[in-house]
Amino acid sequence: MELEYEVYAGGMKALEVEMEIALGETRYRSSFDAEIAGPYAWFMDFKLRSSVEGERADTAVQPAYFITEAFKKDRLKRRVEIAYLEDGSLDTRVEPEPDEDNRDDIPESLRLGTFDPLSAVLMLTEAVALQGNCDAVVPVFDGRRRFDLTAEDLGPAQIDANRYQIFEGEARHCLVKFERVTGFKKGEMGVESSYPDNISVFLAPVEAGLPPVPVRMEMDHKYGA
């Protein structure tokens, strides 16, 4: 599946997002590309590229390799690579290093048993496809930050098309809570940050025979709803 999204903040287009999801019987891969767009692009420049590949079975996924890169003015500014080893440990490489980035390094004990952000999204969609609900708790480590995503199923919801979206129909409404654990920039814990505390996610299959995917997301952010 190749998905395209537009993100609006305060009523203005802020991001253009492309996502690819490929699901096999025992393997999966996913990629995510985001770029500042609309009026925000007049004074901000940012691009993000992420990808993951791994193994899957039923509702479970196990990432094998995750990489994410951030660019400003087409220059690489940040990079994370995570290799998930057979013994359960993680081989993590980040640029810049935590002590150069005003944040604490995350101990190995808090990295074990975690998932990358893309795999966490897939776990949520797989749960809806096979279980019919999105109740789940996913520990996430993105190479710098350690946080938990707690999803609460709020039942079915009717989505109507409007000037922001083309999807129309019934979707599963999930409330995803973002709980910061550690690894965030010093002074950012416990204060308003660029990460919303709660995200409403609506999941639905866009074509018959395909698994559900996010068709709408809503959140309150410091840049606007």
Side-chain angles (χ1 to χ4, degrees), residues 148-220:
D148 289 333
L149 294 180
T150 301
E152 177 186 355
D153 190 274
L154 299 182
Q158 182 65 32
I159 300 294
D160 297 322
N162 57 40
R163 70 189 186 96
Y164 291 110
Q165 65 179 36
I166 60 174
F167 178 83
E168 186 170 30
E170 185 174 287
R172 202 77 195 174
H173 186 187
C174 305
L175 179 64
V176 180
K177 298 180 180 180
F178 184 95
E179 301 175 0
R180 289 173 276 178
V181 178
T182 188
F184 293 80
K185 287 199 172 183
K186 296 177 180 179
E188 193 175 38
M189 292 292 291
V191 300
E192 183 182 19
S193 73
S194 57
Y195 302 91
D197 292 326
N198 298 292
I199 306 172
S200 280
V201 183
F202 298 84
L203 297 160
V206 293
E207 289 187 12
L210 293 180
V213 296
V215 294
R216 182 178 177 86
M217 299 177 68
E218 299 173 350
M219 69 194 78
D220 289 324

Side-chain angles (χ1 to χ4, degrees), residues 1-5 17-23 29-33 122 166 206-207 210-211 213-215:
M1 294 178 285
E2 294 180 355
L3 310 170
E4 295 182 0
Y5 297 94
V17 176
E18 295 181 359
M19 189 172 185
E20 181 181 284
I21 301 174
L23 302 176
R29 72 174 185 274
S30 181
S31 63
F32 178 93
D33 292 79
L122 286 177
I166 60 174
V206 293
E207 289 187 12
L210 293 180
V213 296
V215 294

Side-chain angles (χ1 to χ4, degrees), residues 12-220:
M12 298 184 295
K13 183 192 287 189
L15 284 174
E16 292 180 346
V17 176
E18 295 181 359
M19 189 172 185
E20 181 181 284
I21 301 174
L23 302 176
E25 290 186 2
T26 60
R27 301 284 299 176
Y28 74 95
R29 72 174 185 274
S30 181
S31 63
F32 178 93
D33 292 79
E35 184 173 359
I36 295 288
Y40 291 91
W42 301 342
F43 54 89
M44 298 174 66
D45 181 89
F46 177 77
K47 296 179 182 179
L48 179 71
R49 298 174 183 169
S50 304
S51 64
V52 66
E53 59 182 49
E55 301 179 355
R56 69 185 289 261
D58 296 328
T59 60
V61 299
Q62 175 54 56
Y65 178 74
F66 170 76
I67 182 171
T68 183
E69 297 176 317
F71 300 83
K72 288 185 179 180
K73 299 186 183 300
D74 293 325
R75 295 181 59 184
L76 179 64
K77 302 295 291 186
R78 311 176 76 79
R79 179 184 175 92
V80 169
E81 291 183 76
I82 304 176
Y84 298 79
L85 307 182
E86 292 185 0
D87 63 1
S89 62
L90 281 63
D91 182 7
T92 305
R93 303 180 184 183
V94 298
E95 301 175 18
E97 294 287 341
D99 58 353
E100 301 173 352
D101 200 32
N102 193 32
R103 65 181 79 228
D104 294 324
D105 196 9
I106 298 178
E108 182 69 19
S109 60
L110 290 178
R111 304 184 189 192
L112 298 176
T114 59
F115 300 86
D116 65 276
L118 292 180
S119 295
V121 172
L122 286 177
M123 290 180 69
L124 185 62
T125 62
E126 293 272 74
V128 173
L130 297 177
Q131 302 172 182
N133 67 69
C134 53
D135 289 328
V137 179
V138 184
V140 179
F141 172 59
D142 67 0
R144 300 182 188 279
R145 294 160 289 259
R146 173 68 177 83
F147 55 92
D148 289 333
L149 294 180
T150 301
E152 177 186 355
D153 190 274
L154 299 182
Q158 182 65 32
I159 300 294
D160 297 322
N162 57 40
R163 70 189 186 96
Y164 291 110
Q165 65 179 36
I166 60 174
F167 178 83
E168 186 170 30
E170 185 174 287
R172 202 77 195 174
H173 186 187
C174 305
L175 179 64
V176 180
K177 298 180 180 180
F178 184 95
E179 301 175 0
R180 289 173 276 178
V181 178
T182 188
F184 293 80
K185 287 199 172 183
K186 296 177 180 179
E188 193 175 38
M189 292 292 291
V191 300
E192 183 182 19
S193 73
S194 57
Y195 302 91
D197 292 326
N198 298 292
I199 306 172
S200 280
V201 183
F202 298 84
L203 297 160
V206 293
E207 289 187 12
L210 293 180
V213 296
V215 294
R216 182 178 177 86
M217 299 177 68
E218 299 173 350
M219 69 194 78
D220 289 324

